[in-house]
């Protein structure tokens, strides 16, 4: 019911505006005894950070996470974990010229109508910067899950370029996070070209989860696929979600569909099978185009930056479902039964 | 947190198995004073019912809703509304041969593992029959919404056949619920052909919402698009959800994307703009194929039957968001402020 | 958020009016595999039923529970359990004279203002009859808990008469449910006397839980004592809740308080210790007095009838907390840690 | 479901340990446009602060609230409000001698068993210091409520001393927050005497709400009295809650009970009537007695300090119920009906 909290047993609350004093996250429900330190957040924050290359925005965000609660002597305590990130080096005055501008095709338009006030400084909560908090929560969520679970995101498509191979080790070695090294080169070139033209492009991000535990998801409304869809669509840039054969099922015969278990995407009846989860999202082109874009402060393609966010949201959903499945595991019933 | 409840202020709880004594729904949070009777449910139940034509299953389900609580002298009382539908004429013994069969590519597989027990009689809660309860709740949800809101679903695609026109008045005049009368004929023919071959097909269902109220959706996690995605993906047959330009954004330039507001699908920043909502879902082919299918108890294409369910889930989400937006409307703040 | 649902992992939704077609309950989150049948509900329903003696109301309610969902071949399936009780032999016309009467000091007054409609037939949802649904849920909750947990309620005080002994076996052998056989006689006499005078009396009900599992309750807001207080105060007749030394602490020295662990009531820091829980509630006198009361349709003292309801609410809270504690048990963390 | 979040539409999440880096609170659901600044928190924080007099603890806590999110140009934005309070001047090393001490009759005992780790520095989250976050949220909650609502707490009883008069203006003019100036003197003397003896005392705190809006509370489980009971019992020191005639009903005749509307405590059927709310709680004596207490770091009576916390929890409940009632106000139904 609280619009800025996601999850039930593993519940993530985010707060903070892109140009306010700080952003932060409270993670409630993390089991006690898990090792955790501020340094653990740095790799994922670095992956999300813009300005890593010419492809992404040139802004440098110094994201220094401060772990203010929930960890004692290096381990989680079972109490809410709170992490704070100060917004540094971001001058609100840079945005004064936007004070009276409601950006077309942007959250500004609806948020002003709904709330009657507007933080014109870079979008406030509607800014992509809010996702810093999600990435932090994702790091904790992965710790809750069994260690063998691997959540791997990559750029399946950017504009006309579609990856044909999946080589996970190559993902972080190119600026577009493409798992196909050859296509990555074409994608990078395309994005740079758009930057020069002051335009942007959409794409498709895919996340695969290896060693997914079975039994995740609670029918009928909290099916795993429903939870994942909600988590992913809560990310600003996402316009669609699909799993397994996804929208390709539209043209498929039933006989084709059942012929390959990969079509099921690792879920049946909304519950994980234990097989690889395969999820994808369509990512819209940024609407910051034209002169604004050419000035170099925006990404022509945000697929690479959305990937760590989608991985984080996936981890959060899986951790929540995993704790939830534990609560009602069959031995609960059988232990009670045994005594009758 | 309760897996069989959907929604917060307008909360729908469903129960019942496909071959148990009854299915039902409890709707909590409906405002008082709304006219409601058992007869109000019949048109939508009829639309959902299989066996309406050769295209859909031949089973005849006599769905007689009994309104057992929450209505007094023809109007809602503000108390939970409960509606019951008895399962009649469905002999469990028909399913005895399935007692030890775990159907491949079916919820059976994961539900047995997760719960350790199985209702082999037609799938239990994993059966499409559970959606009867959702359709009933959808009828109530539409009553909560302003009367001018219209929720219109149709078959956008079935197998290779894609609708090219949108003529809403023609939707109910063909068995596939296609809004393009010419394509409808091709779709119907295709589905009949598959039935003879004992195969099935997927498709795409679209729902458009006319006169959508603005301000629906609560950032950042309860964006309208996130709620709709969760609602739709909770339906068994749905493998993907998209809104506005959906997955087409993958190949779009930013300059193209902003050129047509229809691409935004009626939402910006996850909040409704007041414009037409445009939503679509990919629907998988049924996995009941081969001999089972030829015997005539299953749909070769469930797109037409899923449409009323997606409309219902859409109405439930909109009613919940509408009540929620009311709670914090700006006059709340201003009335409190005025006094300071 | 749904006002007619209580609990998170073990979630109870009640519906139905005292003189509508039926009352019912949906219990979501019960683990699969627990034996359950309609007959299991009868003993508790009998205990709650009025008309058992001159002390309680003379109405005869035929409460025949129908288990319509969630049980297959005698065991729970992990799906929502739904139980229905028809209201039989209760003629709405009996209440026609109340159509325009808003009863003083009664829920009628506020409910009419809030909802704008009123079910004048015996109070609708504000009637004590709604607690039938809670008692049913309590039966299921007890099955979820380890079998050795015993929840024992009794009348600690009725008017000026206070029980001095606790002999659990004697509770059901008197009409006031007093665990002190001598005081029970005085209580019974007092209640009969009030009935003749057309008056009523308040009292105190106590519930003790033997063999309470430790670790129930989740700091800081979902402490066990907070959950129990909410559960108990949701019962119409309850005006106060206390545990352990309760309101007696007001006059106690710290040195006295710590001298007897019974003062802690089985909870420390809001979490169960594993010792006996000791809870009590003040129960107001019924406001149906004077001529109405003398006509014999109302209880002069509802303490005996509230006891099974408080036991049921206690069981529901314990079952919910018990499932919740399971979700995050320490091995969750350690299993994940072990792999790091 | 999240144990450190309280409320639905007005949802308060607290985090932080007594001796960690910081405590804080996230308040989600506050309507936009309400004036709010850091200075607004100072008066209530001062009231809660220990060390104000010989009666309360001598520790000086410098509580400087930092408003890090949710306010822009002096007004709330509709986004989550986050407030942080650094723990300054509190050296963890002061607590090293407690590293292996599990304090008897203290949350330490159950929390160590449940979570398997312990923050020995002053209790961590089980410390009364956590209530700083609640007091901050209470300030915001009062702003959401209509300005005429007044929430007034006072010490009704401390040890053997019971207030006989209610003079609200005198409450803050004595160190025990007693509304009866004569009894206040006796209470103060009693508390000082106990401090010298190294003992402590319990008491009763009362909160009255003047100009309570009617219609607050949602039957049947979210009755206002149930919500208040949960809120109050979530405070560590509270062992009982009652409203109106409270536990006095136990000895009352029905004819006496209905004779004075003050007995109803401002609620009927669990919904506020619009009359004065009258609520009280029993507060246990602190268990820090003997040598520990004499050394001067603990309160011999925490009733005065709990009062601002109970006022805050009351405000939070009322704000949540007030927003919730707005969502379903009757015009919602009538506006929809009008069109039919």
């Amino acid at each position: 019911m609280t619009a800025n909290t996601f999850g039930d047993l593993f519940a993530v609350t985010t707060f903070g505006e892109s140009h306010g004093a700080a952003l932060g996250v409270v993670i409630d429900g993390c089991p006690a005894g898990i090792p955790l330190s501020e340094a653990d957040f740095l790799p994922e924050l670095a992956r999300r950070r813009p300005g890593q290359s010419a492809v992404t925005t040139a802004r440098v965000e110094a994201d220094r996470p401060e772990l203010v609660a929930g960890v004692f002597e290096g381990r989680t305590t079972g109490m809410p974990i709170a992490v704070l990130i100060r917004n540094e080096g971001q001058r609100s005055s840079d945005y004064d010229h936007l004070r009276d501008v409601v950006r077309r095709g942007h959250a500004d338009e609806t948020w002003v109508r709904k709330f009657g006030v507007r933080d014109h400084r870079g979008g406030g909560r509607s800014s992509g910067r809010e996702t810093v908090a999600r990435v932090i929560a994702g790091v904790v969520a992965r710790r809750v899950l069994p260690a063998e679970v691997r959540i791997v995101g990559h750029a399946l498509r950017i504009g006309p370029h579609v990856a044909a191979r999946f080589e996970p080790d190559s993902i972080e070695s190119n600026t577009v996070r493409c798992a196909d090294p050859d296509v990555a080169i074409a994608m990078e070139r395309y994005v740079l070209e758009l930057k020069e033209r002051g335009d942007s492009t959409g794409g498709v991000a895919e996340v695969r989860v290896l060693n997914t535990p079975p039994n995740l998801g609670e029918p009928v409304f909290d099916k795993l696929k429903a939870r994942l869809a909600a988590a992913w669509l809560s990310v600003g840039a996402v316009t669609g979600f699909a799993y397994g054969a996804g929208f390709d099922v539209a043209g498929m015969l039933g006989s084709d569909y059942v012929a390959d278990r990969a079509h099921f995407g690792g879920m049946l009846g909304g519950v994980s099978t234990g097989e690889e989860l395969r999820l994808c999202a369509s990512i819209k082109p940024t609407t910051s185009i034209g002169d604004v874009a050419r000035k170099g402060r925006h990404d022509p393609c945000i697929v690479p930056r959305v990937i760590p966010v989608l991985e984080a949201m996936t981890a959060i959903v899986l951790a929540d479902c995993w704790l939830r499945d534990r609560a009602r595991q069959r031995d609960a019933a059988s232990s009670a039964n045994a005594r009758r």
Side-chain angles (χ1 to χ4, degrees), chain A residues 127-169:
Chain A
S127 162
R129 181 142 175 75
E130 177 264 337
T131 59
V132 162
R134 305 182 184 215
V135 166
I136 289 169
V139 169
V140 180
R142 286 179 205 230
R143 295 266 165 134
V144 171
L145 290 166
E148 66 270 23
V149 178
R150 279 196 62 205
I151 302 172
V152 181
H154 64 108
L156 191 64
R157 176 177 175 185
I158 288 180
H161 304 285
V162 183
R165 286 182 289 159
F166 179 68
E167 298 178 7
D169 291 343

Side-chain angles (χ1 to χ4, degrees), chain A residues 105-123:
Chain A
H106 190 278
D108 285 4
E109 187 184 316
T110 46
W111 291 31
V112 172
R113 187 192 290 118
K114 184 176 178 75
F115 299 108
V117 288
R118 184 167 73 95
D119 185 342
H120 61 276
R121 303 163 307 167

Side-chain angles (χ1 to χ4, degrees), chain A residues 8 50 53 74 77 122 141 168 176 179 190-191 204 207 228 242 283 286 311 327 335:
Chain A
D8 291 317
S53 72
T77 60
V176 287
Y190 181 67
V191 170
V204 173
V207 171
L228 288 165
I283 310 297
T286 55
E311 291 172 349
S335 70

Side-chain angles (χ1 to χ4, degrees), chain A residues 189-271:
Chain A
R189 199 177 299 139
Y190 181 67
V191 170
L192 285 173
E193 193 186 300
L194 287 173
K195 179 142 192 76
E196 276 164 40
R197 282 161 48 193
D199 212 333
S200 64
T201 181
V204 173
E206 185 181 71
V207 171
R208 300 186 183 197
V209 185
L210 311 174
N211 305 316
T212 312
N215 301 331
L216 306 186
E218 302 291 328
V220 295
F221 292 118
D222 291 339
K223 286 170 178 156
L224 181 56
K225 61 180 185 159
R227 283 293 177 119
L228 288 165
W232 284 36
L233 264 299
S234 77
V235 176
V238 175
T239 62
F241 165 87
Y243 73 97
F247 274 82
D248 290 346
V249 299
M252 269 187 196
L253 294 176
S255 51
D256 294 335
Y257 183 70
V258 298
D260 182 353
R261 284 186 69 92
H263 291 155
F264 308 157
M267 296 179 263
L268 280 173
V271 173

